[in-house]
Each structure stands twice: as structure tokens, then as C-alpha cells.
Amino acid sequence: MKDTARVCFLMALIMVSFFMWLNLDRSHPAAMNPSSQKEIKEKETKEEPKRTVHIKRKDGSTAEVELEAYLVGVVASEMGADFPLEALKAQAVASRTFVAQRQFVVDDTVASQVYQDDSQLLAVWGTNYDEKRAKVAEAVAQTKGEVLRYRGELITAAFFSSCAGATNNSEDYWKSAVPYLRSVESPWDQNIEGYAQEVSFTDAQLAELLGFQQPIQTIGKPQRYDNGYVKSVTIDGIKFSGREIREALSLRSSAFTITVKKDQIIFTTQGFGHGIGMSQYGAAAMANEGSDYKKILKHYYQGIEITAL
């Protein structure tokens, strides 16, 4: 009898253990196969790699700044905290793409992207520092890790302040055609304050800046691209591109008109910048009309995708 009882007890214990196993929470790692447990562990412990930007400062020093912190200093400097949030987010993605394409090695000037650290931003913003920095940091955080690609490759995410109602094709100002840097409408720019600017030169000043030995006698009518930017101007028989005129005279834009009044030659520019890629004031206007940052980016950079870095 004792042996029979012992057998019954063991069978009951086995049955209880079996039913407990059936009721085990299958979502718990202990109930999963070894490979599933390994995948979860790897997922939980995997961290996004820290990327450091190497910056050559204007004063000759160098700095190494974590990517997302660097972008706060760039967006604050290149666009400013007074722009709407969706425009700031568009700038953050463009700037992240810009520095990533350059392998995270840049300077802090317009030759790369203007960057100011927190001490510099504090000096600029003063008592508004906390509020303004928080807004820019939010734009960067909400787009963390996002970049722009065309057919899988990081794009040249060019941007500028404002244009002459339409952006430039890349080959209209640079040397080569880039498929995603196409001329697109940007009519909002024409409504901003300071859209048109006048700069005057005497005959002698203009001749010196353009490299003439004698006073200028004749200035031809500017030839234009369809978007309004100047293609070329012939001055005393020599053809200058719109870009050459802009750079020689330090004009705000290569979209300009020329007026001659006695001994004054007046250049009236429209917009500010090279006009290629994203217009910052156009982005602000689109944001104010309800467009999100993705729509803004896909308007100014044609055929691109927004992906993870």
C-alpha cells in the first residue's frame, strides 16, 4: 500500500507540474527558446552609436561635439529660434544630412555650417536663452537620426535664406546638374522684409571690382534663367555670369536688376543666397500654412527620401 501511495503521489506531482508549465506566460523570456531570448537581450542592450562632429573653430582651435548637441548650435545659428517649429525641424534634418555627408568633419563658418556653442548662444539670447534653446533642442530631438537620401545616397543638403520667387537649378549657379536640386516655386520669399536691396557703385568702383583698367562704357541687359536669376551680363564686351557678378560685387543674390543713373550704377537684388536647395524663409512660410517638415523637405529637395542615419 505504501508503494501504491508513493506512486500516486509522484504521478499527481508530475500532473501538477505539467499543468503549471501549460499555464506559463509565454511572453516571459523564460518561456522562449534560446534564440528568442538572445534577440531580446541584444535589442535591449543595443544603443544608438554616438557620433562626434569634429569642428575647426574660427579662432584656430578645434572641438569635438556630439552630433545632436552640435545640431542645436547649428540650427540656432543658421535659422534661429524665432522660426516655426516645423521649419526648425526641416533645418535640423538638412543640417544633419549636411554634416553626415562630410563625414562629420566641418568648420563653424558659412563654408560649412555656422555653429555656436552654448556660451555663444547665451551671449546672443541673454535672458531668453533657456526658452529659445529649448525650442531648437525640441526640433532636433523630434527628428533625431533623420537624414535625406536620393537613391540611397546622402544628398548635398544645400540651403539659403530666401530666393527670387523660385529656387535655382544647381547647374545655374554651380557647375553640374544634381537631380534633386531642381528649381521649384517659392513665392513666399517675395513677401519677406528686406526682400529687395539696393547697392550703388560709381563707374570707377565697378571697373575696379570687375578688373577693368579703364572706366566702364557699356553695360548690357542681363540675360536670365526662367526662374529670374541672372545667367550673364556683358560689360564692355566681356561676358560675366550672374554668379561672377554677385561674388565680385558681394551682392546678396545673383537675381538682380541694373539701373544706371549719371555716375551711379545701381544693383537691386532679390532674395539672399545662392538659391539652391531649401529656402529658409520659404520653409517658415510653408510651416505657418500648416505644412510639416517632411512636406517642406520634399518640396525643396525633389525625389528624396527621409531615412535613418
Side-chain angles (χ1 to χ4, degrees), residues 61-209:
S61 65
T62 59
E64 294 191 359
V65 182
E66 190 274 327
L67 173 59
E68 302 300 309
Y70 163 77
L71 289 170
V72 173
V74 169
V75 175
S77 304
E78 287 283 6
M79 182 170 274
D82 293 335
F83 277 63
L85 183 62
E86 293 301 313
L88 291 171
K89 288 161 70 173
Q91 182 67 58
V93 177
S95 291
R96 187 181 293 107
T97 306
F98 188 100
V99 68
Q101 193 199 41
R102 284 154 182 76
Q103 301 296 309
F104 308 101
V105 178
V106 292
D107 64 28
D108 61 357
T109 73
V110 292
S112 294
Q113 299 184 110
V114 177
Y115 165 79
Q116 297 177 93
D117 60 28
D118 283 333
S119 63
Q120 292 172 303
L121 293 176
L122 178 61
V124 173
W125 286 335
T127 57
N128 295 318
Y129 170 81
D130 289 336
E131 177 186 356
K132 289 181 179 292
R133 192 189 187 284
K135 182 179 178 181
V136 174
E138 180 183 0
V140 173
Q142 288 189 16
T143 63
K144 185 176 181 180
E146 292 183 347
V147 291
L148 305 174
R149 298 181 190 274
Y150 182 83
R151 296 184 177 179
E153 299 295 328
L154 290 169
I155 74 166
T156 299
F159 55 87
F160 59 94
S161 180
S162 59
C163 64
T167 66
N168 252 327
N169 290 308
S170 59
E171 68 271 22
D172 294 348
Y173 195 83
W174 296 339
K175 289 185 178 180
S176 57
V178 180
Y180 49 83
L181 296 177
R182 300 293 84 204
S183 178
V184 298
E185 295 296 317
S186 190
W188 312 278
D189 303 48
Q190 296 171 312
N191 298 321
I192 67 171
E193 184 178 352
Y195 166 72
Q197 297 271 319
E198 286 189 0
V199 183
S200 298
F201 303 92
T202 65
D203 289 337
Q205 288 173 331
L206 188 61
E208 181 180 0
L209 290 169

